[in-house]
Amino acid sequence: MKALQLSKVVFGAAAVFFLLAPLAAILPLAFTDSVFLNYPMPGYSTRWFSELVSAEVWRRSIVNSLIIGSGTTLLATALGTLGALGLRGRTSSYLFAFVRTAFLIPMVVPAVVLGVGMQLMFARYNLTNTYLGVIIAHTVIAVPFVVINVLAVLQSIDPRLEQAAASLGAAPHTVLARVTLPLALPGIVSGAVFAFATSLDEVVLTLFVAGPNQRTLARQMFSSIRENISPAIAAAAFVFIVGTILIALALNLSRKSLGRRPAA
Amino acid sequence: MRSEGRRRTFVSLALVSPLALFLLVFFAAPLYTMMAAAVSDPIAARALPQTAEAIRSWDGETAPSAGVQAAFAGDIRNIDDDQLFGDLVRRLNSAKSGFRTLMSKTRSALRDDPSTTDLVAIDARWADPAFWQAIRSAAASTVTDRNLLAAVDLERSPAGRIQAMPEGTSANGTTLVRTFVVSLIVTAVCLVIGLPYAMIAASVTGWRRQLLLAAVLLPLWTSLLVRTAAWFILLQDNGLINSALMALGLTSAPLPLIFNRVGVVIAMSHVLLPFMVLPIFSVLIGIPKNLMPAAASLGAHPLRAFREVLLPLSTRGVVSGSLLVFMSALGYYITPALIGGAQDQMISSVIAYYATGAANWGMAGALGLVLLVATIILYTVYLRLSTDERVRQ
Amino acid sequence: MNESFIRFDKVSKAFGTLTVVDGLDLDIGKGEFVSMLGPSGSGKTTILMMLAGFENPTSGTIRVGGRQVDGLPPHRRNMGVVFQNYALFPHMSVAENIGFPLKMRRVSRAETGERVKRALDMVQLGHLAERRPAQLSGGQQQRVALARALVFEPEVVLMDEPLGALDKKLREQMQLDIRELHRRLGLTIVFVTHDQTEALTMSDRIAVFNHGKIEQIGEPAAIYDRPATRFVAEFIGETNFLTGTVTGVGGGHATVDIGNGRSVAVLAGQGLAAGATVGLSVRPERVRIGAGPARSNTVSGTVEDVVYHGDHLQVVLDADGQTLLVKADRAGSPVAIGDRLDVSFAPDECWVVGS
């Protein structure tokens, strides 16, 4: 029994190390003052963060990521929330089961396959090399996350709350605005965050449909790793990881405060 | 009073229709376009309409009649779009080499003498039925299975039979096999680490479980680029791993860890491990805690109890997790592209090469179709498993 | 009952092939408190849902105040509904919850504040106006739900097992409170419950449902003392159900042979004929230990079990194959298992229900 316990601890620790060590390893390199992305670091500096903001390619890519991420978040959240509202309470219908599967399938289709098709088709409608094209491409793979999140929260709402609102004199659109949507807000917010994160991290579709003017941060990191790796990557990774943690915290906070918002 | 139900259905349909329409146009249509590109072959039929008509009655053995030759000459004279002519030459040359010189020679000769229809007089190769067979098969139809066959290293013989391509002419089959092998290895690695990991996470409580779950979720939420960059830093010749190994005296020269299979497997396993751990974990925590004590009270040794009770019950999670990992690994692009060498490129890289590098949409589409079909089949099995689960609960 | 205010006319409801409500005819008067009582699946909640407008009848019509309401959406029916789990809006304060129906009716802000305050005072929760539902106890949530359903002075108040989630003591208090509100405000209340005590305590009339049909409708005492069917007799309270054959009829009474040649005299309704096989219902608390006065029915049997219930004893008697429950006073002479015992009940306390 002792040996089993010990091997559990050793294995667990080793696996946690395997999972987290790479992330821990890259963070300090953001503060190196060397041009090499490696240890040991000769000294500390914030030059690579300055590079991130001052170098045209990096600065541009950060701005592009924000533009495209916001566009994707808006489009995916709007479409996904509507879709989830339509799918709600439709578990027994074959038609809607099919629609539901269809809404989630962009998540599983390999990005390269979708990218080839999008490049071919978007070229016909002059959508390649445009912001709109990239936003649309990102929305396709971000929207399943919105549907999943919003649907989950909608299914947790007691339908009697909406019946109660109706019995108290609220017309269907009032029920939606005053009861359903406020209660679904946490799911809509986390869906939106997922959509933004998906867009931020997307590389493959961007490779196929974006032009040089729509180069995103992730796309810039991709070519930088491929062509001339520099500690600017680590600085960008630092921004990403800190951003992830901040978003996770914000999400947690918003969930809590939405749960017990003081009376307005 | 059926109208109430019908009104609700109508409202639901109205709500789902914007997204359905959006996905139809920007998801389904691109996939269809890609598949159509895989089988579409309209060039010859479009460039050679009269020839396609005339050559139908040809016996295929001897040089074609003067009528066929005249039709072909007429078609060539009618092509004033150089782009179309170039596409036609490329299409014919891919079926039989020699067309490139033959066609340009023929075209200029036909231009110089607007009345001649005697092709054999222009070039003796026009007496060879092999060239005409290529023209006939190219012009006969606007769809082709050439790309699909080539995707799995097959071709059609001049007589139209499907046969293996000559050794060394295409590497697609090798790439497909490599993709499957790498995906299988990654799945196995994930299973070997992920199954015990999930079991440990399910068996502990409190901060230990929180830590184990956070260690899985944090990488999952972290950008794929960041994780790949991290592995790039760790695995390089003078990276942390090699420095550590050399400092410990375990090796005198850096081990080759990057731009090869080892690096790809390590980095992909790290990226996909959460997809193995989470399904197994969710199955395991659904198993009542008192089953193992019950087995023990009935006389089973802990290892025996594990094999007879816990393992069978976790099978569904293991299968779901493995399918998920394998399915994702098949389509992986970024990690092999950045960590792998030329000999480790998976099917996605080849598709990307055909599409962006070679502008060969037919081949890109055909390989894409193969990957898409494999993925959809695996996903269907996965869905079936998870719905079964829901029904049983 | 005065003139009909709510009228169900041959109302049926089917879900697929399953008929949940089967040809219901029911009239409810203005200001009346009617309980729908029945086991789960008997259709009572579906009837409430149809009245509130959340379900539509498969056939038949429902009228309220002479106006047909089928097809009218719930928000235009002006009915206060109190739901099983209260259905308070978790994202609104108590005051906002109660003010909601007034807001929907575009009542002015000042008047809304005034009426919400009055409604809160009515349920004695004035001090909790700014709390969230999650911060209230079950009983308090119940009161808020009640105040919300009453604040807009609806024509009808529908209650769907509103007290089911409360503990016994609180439930009994709320029963009295609701009855008092009904009387004071002259409300028309349709109350769904599966708890017979609740129905007996609160209602003007009780409709007992089984398999989508009304088994019996009437005032509580009539339902209890004169159950129309075995189902009603057994669903409402505890009863002894004896079977026998009618041997003679006359003078509002009948003689029934309950086996082994022993006859009992019972109250008889119309249309009873000699030779018919009938069932008899005798409430356990109407059976006394010991032989009764003349003309009362005396049955003897062997004591099979004695169960202590605190305020009384329950004696289980085997009277030649028919089981009799007796609710016995603790003060009486001690009874032991195996004792031979005579018990008696008056003819007027035995009721023929058909078998």
Side-chain angles (χ1 to χ4, degrees), chain C residues 64-78:
Chain C
V64 176
R67 189 167 65 131
Q68 188 170 333
V69 295
D70 316 283
L72 206 62
H75 67 278
R76 291 174 50 201
R77 291 204 182 189
N78 206 31

Side-chain angles (χ1 to χ4, degrees), chain C residues 6-25:
Chain C
I6 302 171
R7 164 165 286 173
F8 287 87
D9 191 7
K10 295 187 185 59
V11 171
S12 291
K13 176 70 183 178
F15 295 105
T17 53
L18 183 73
T19 302
V20 189
V21 176
D22 192 0
L24 174 76
D25 287 313

Side-chain angles (χ1 to χ4, degrees), chain B residues 25-50:
Chain B
V25 174
F26 295 113
F27 174 70
L31 288 184
Y32 174 80
T33 312
M34 180 213 69
M35 290 189 258
V39 295
S40 128
D41 184 24
I43 301 293
R46 207 170 83 216
L48 306 170
Q50 300 173 45

